[in-house]
Amino acid sequence: MSSSYLPATTDSIAQALEAKTPSEAVSILYRVLENPASAPDALRIKEQAITNLSDLLRQENRAEELRSLLTQLRPFFALIPKAKTAKIVRGIIDDVAKIPGTSDLQISLCKEVVQWTRAEKRTFLRQRVEAKLAALLMENKEYSEALNLLSGLIKEVRRLDDKLLLVDIDLLESKLHFSLRNLPKAKASLTAARTAANAIYVPPAQQGNIDLQSGILHAEEKDYKTGYSYFFEAFEAFNALEDPRAVFSLKYMLLCKIMVSQADDVASIISSKAGLQYVGPELDAMKAVADAHAKRSLKLFEIALRDFKAQLEEDPIVHRHLSSLYDTLLEQNLCRLIEPFSRVEIAHIAELIELPVDHVEKKLSQMILDKKFAGTLDQGAGCLVIFDDPKTDAIFPATLETISNIGKVVDSLYVRSAKIMA
C-alpha cells in the first residue's frame, strides 16, 4: 500500500478499473480507502471501492488479505449505517468462502467477527455470522460445537421472532441432526423450519433447500415415492434459478426411482428436456447403477461403483443407500440364479455370482428366513433345496372364521342361560 491517499471520487474508481494489472488496481483502491474524508459522497465512493477491492482479492485468491481488510475497515464501519456494515461484512465473508481450501480461515474469520459484533453490540449481524459459523463447523464435522452454538442462537432468534433467520437456523439444525443420525430431531427441526417458512415469503432458493432436506429425510425412512416428489420440487426451484444444486436434486430423483425398482424410468428422465441440461458424470453414475439394477447384475454394480467413486461413494446421501441397493441386487441376482433349480450346490451358486461361499450361504439363509423364497439349506451336503411356492388353501381361513363365529354363538347362549338361571 502506498502512503499517499487518492481522492474518494468516481475518477479514482475509474482509474482502478483501467489499471493494467490486478495488483495495480488493488493498490489504487487501498489508497482510496485511506482517504480520511467522511462526506456522504466520499463514503458512497468508498463503499464502491470496498466492493471492487473484495472482488479483485477474491479473483486473485488472496484470502488472508480479505481477512485483514475486514479488520482495517472497522473504523470506517463506525461512519456508515449498521445495515450497510452488515452487507459489507457478509459480502467479504462470502468472498473468502469462494476461494478454495479456506474452510479453517473462514471459521477463524467468523469467530473474530462474532467477537467484534458482541463488543459493538451489533446483534443483527452477529446472529447471521453465527449461523454461517455453525454451517462451517458442520462442514468441518465439528458437530458438538455447531450444536452448542445453534442451541443458544435459536432461543435468541425465537425471542426476536426473526422468521427468515429462524428458517435458516432450523434447516441447518435439521441437517446437523441428520449428520449425527438423529432422525427424529432432524424431522422436528425441519417441521419447525416449514412452520416458520409458511408465515413469511421465502426466497425460491431457500424453499428448494427445504424441499431437498425433506426429500433426504423421507428417502432415509425408505419412503422413496414421497422423497421423489420433494426432490422434484427442489429440482424445479433450482433449475429455474440455474443453481448448481439442481443436478444433485435430479440425481436423488433418479436414486429414488432405482430404489423403488423403476430403473427403466431413469433413461427417460435423463433424456427429457430438463435432464439433458445436466448430462454429466453425476447422471452417468446413476444411469450405470440403474442399468446394473435392471439387469440384476452385481458385476455391473461393482463396475459402476469403481468407475464413479466420486459421484456414488463420496456422496454421503447416495452412499447411505448403497448398502441397501447392494443387498437388493444381491437378492435379485440370487433369485435369478436359483430360478431353474430345485436342488443346487451352494458352491456352484457362489461360482456363478463370483462371491465367497460363506457369504452366499449366509445371504441365502437370511432370504429363506425373510420368506423371499421357499427352501432350506442342506448344510451336510452343501446344497440349497428349493420348494415350489405353496398355494394358499382357502379352506383354512374359512374354517377359522367358522370356529370364531361358533365361539361367539356359544358365548351369547351362555349369557342368556345365566340370565334365565338368575
Side-chain angles (χ1 to χ4, degrees):
M1 270 187 286
S2 173
S3 57
S4 61
Y5 60 79
L6 288 173
T9 61
T10 50
D11 290 341
S12 300
I13 299 293
Q15 188 183 341
L17 292 172
E18 290 166 7
K20 292 177 182 178
T21 63
S23 298
E24 188 185 337
V26 166
S27 176
I28 291 167
L29 291 169
Y30 268 125
R31 287 166 66 192
V32 171
L33 292 177
E34 285 175 354
N35 191 315
S38 57
D41 287 344
L43 293 177
R44 185 172 50 79
I45 295 297
K46 284 185 183 181
E47 286 170 30
Q48 182 63 47
I50 291 166
T51 305
N52 292 1
L53 179 59
S54 181
D55 287 342
L56 279 169
L57 292 174
R58 173 179 56 78
Q59 289 164 18
E60 293 289 299
N61 289 346
R62 289 153 72 170
E64 281 293 345
E65 281 196 42
L66 278 168
R67 179 184 185 171
S68 58
L69 174 65
L70 208 48
T71 309
Q72 290 166 25
L73 289 173
R74 286 177 186 176
F76 173 72
F77 292 148
L79 304 173
I80 61 173
K82 287 186 176 181
K84 284 187 177 179
T85 301
K87 185 181 176 183
I88 292 169
V89 171
R90 291 169 69 189
I92 292 174
I93 292 171
D94 289 342
D95 281 335
V96 174
K98 289 172 187 172
I99 300 171
T102 57
S103 59
D104 291 338
L105 178 66
Q106 287 177 63
I107 289 170
S108 61
L109 176 60
C110 286
K111 285 179 178 176
E112 281 177 18
V113 173
V114 166
Q115 285 177 354
W116 175 71
T117 50
R118 279 188 192 281
E120 294 287 317
K121 296 181 180 178
R122 295 174 183 262
T123 308
F124 178 87
L125 177 57
R126 176 180 57 76
Q127 289 170 346
R128 276 147 186 80
V129 175
E130 280 185 337
K132 173 76 175 174
L133 176 58
L136 289 167
L137 290 168
M138 186 183 75
E139 285 174 20
N140 231 27
K141 298 187 178 178
E142 296 176 32
Y143 300 126
S144 58
E145 192 178 344
L147 262 180
N148 290 338
L149 183 61
L150 278 182
S151 59
L153 188 58
I154 285 174
K155 289 174 187 173
E156 191 180 337
V157 174
R158 278 190 182 140
R159 279 201 305 271
L160 295 171
D161 202 30
D162 186 343
K163 289 279 195 295
L164 193 58
L165 181 58
L166 197 57
V167 171
D168 289 344
I169 295 169
D170 283 330
L171 187 58
L172 183 59
E173 190 183 33
S174 177
K175 290 176 181 177
L176 195 53
H177 284 305
F178 178 71
S179 299
L180 292 167
R181 315 292 295 128
N182 191 336
L183 209 57
K185 283 193 175 181
K187 286 173 69 180
S189 298
L190 183 64
T191 304
R194 281 192 170 283
T195 305
N198 288 337
I200 55 165
Y201 168 76
V202 177
Q206 187 67 315
Q207 187 60 52
N209 264 330
I210 293 170
D211 289 331
L212 186 62
Q213 182 66 6
S214 299
I216 289 167
L217 292 181
H218 279 285
E220 188 67 20
E221 292 185 315
K222 312 293 182 193
D223 184 1
Y224 294 109
K225 288 187 177 178
T226 309
Y228 177 87
S229 302
Y230 279 118
F231 287 136
F232 182 72
E233 292 289 338
F235 172 70
E236 285 200 320
F238 292 140
N239 185 40
L241 297 167
E242 297 182 358
D243 191 301
R245 286 171 293 182
V247 70
F248 295 105
S249 303
L250 183 56
K251 180 181 174 183
Y252 300 149
M253 281 166 59
L254 300 179
L255 175 68
C256 288
K257 283 291 182 187
I258 293 166
M259 296 305 290
V260 293
S261 301
Q262 292 178 3
D264 296 338
D265 294 347
V266 169
S268 60
I269 292 170
I270 292 173
S271 60
S272 66
K273 186 180 176 182
L276 286 171
Q277 298 175 43
Y278 299 98
V279 169
E282 300 288 348
L283 299 192
D284 290 344
M286 298 316 295
K287 192 173 186 301
V289 172
D291 289 342
H293 191 277
K295 292 173 183 174
R296 297 193 289 186
S297 169
L298 272 180
K299 195 169 185 180
L300 287 175
F301 183 73
E302 286 169 355
I303 290 169
L305 283 181
R306 189 180 66 243
D307 293 349
F308 298 101
K309 187 175 181 182
Q311 288 76 24
L312 297 175
E313 289 197 1
E314 291 176 17
D315 185 323
I317 308 303
V318 175
H319 184 65
R320 290 183 196 280
H321 300 279
L322 281 181
S323 58
S324 174
L325 252 181
Y326 184 82
D327 281 347
T328 305
L329 275 177
L330 181 56
E331 285 177 8
Q332 290 181 347
N333 231 19
L334 287 170
C335 287
R336 178 170 61 85
L337 290 173
I338 65 176
E339 271 171 0
F341 300 104
S342 58
R343 184 183 178 90
V344 61
E345 288 184 356
I346 297 169
H348 179 63
I349 298 172
E351 188 182 333
L352 290 173
I353 205 168
E354 299 176 359
L355 286 173
V357 175
D358 58 340
H359 183 61
V360 172
E361 186 176 338
K362 186 179 176 183
K363 188 64 187 174
L364 286 170
S365 64
Q366 185 187 332
M367 288 170 70
I368 292 167
L369 290 171
D370 291 343
K371 297 184 179 178
K372 297 290 170 70
F373 68 91
T376 186
L377 288 170
D378 185 347
Q379 289 183 311
C383 290
L384 170 69
V385 182
I386 299 107
F387 306 136
D388 293 331
D389 289 333
K391 293 179 181 177
T392 52
D393 199 334
I395 195 166
F396 294 117
T399 306
L400 285 170
E401 191 180 349
T402 306
I403 292 168
S404 174
N405 290 336
I406 290 169
K408 288 175 185 175
V409 170
V410 170
D411 288 343
S412 66
L413 287 171
Y414 174 76
V415 171
R416 284 186 184 183
S417 63
K419 284 179 181 176
I420 292 166
M421 293 295 288

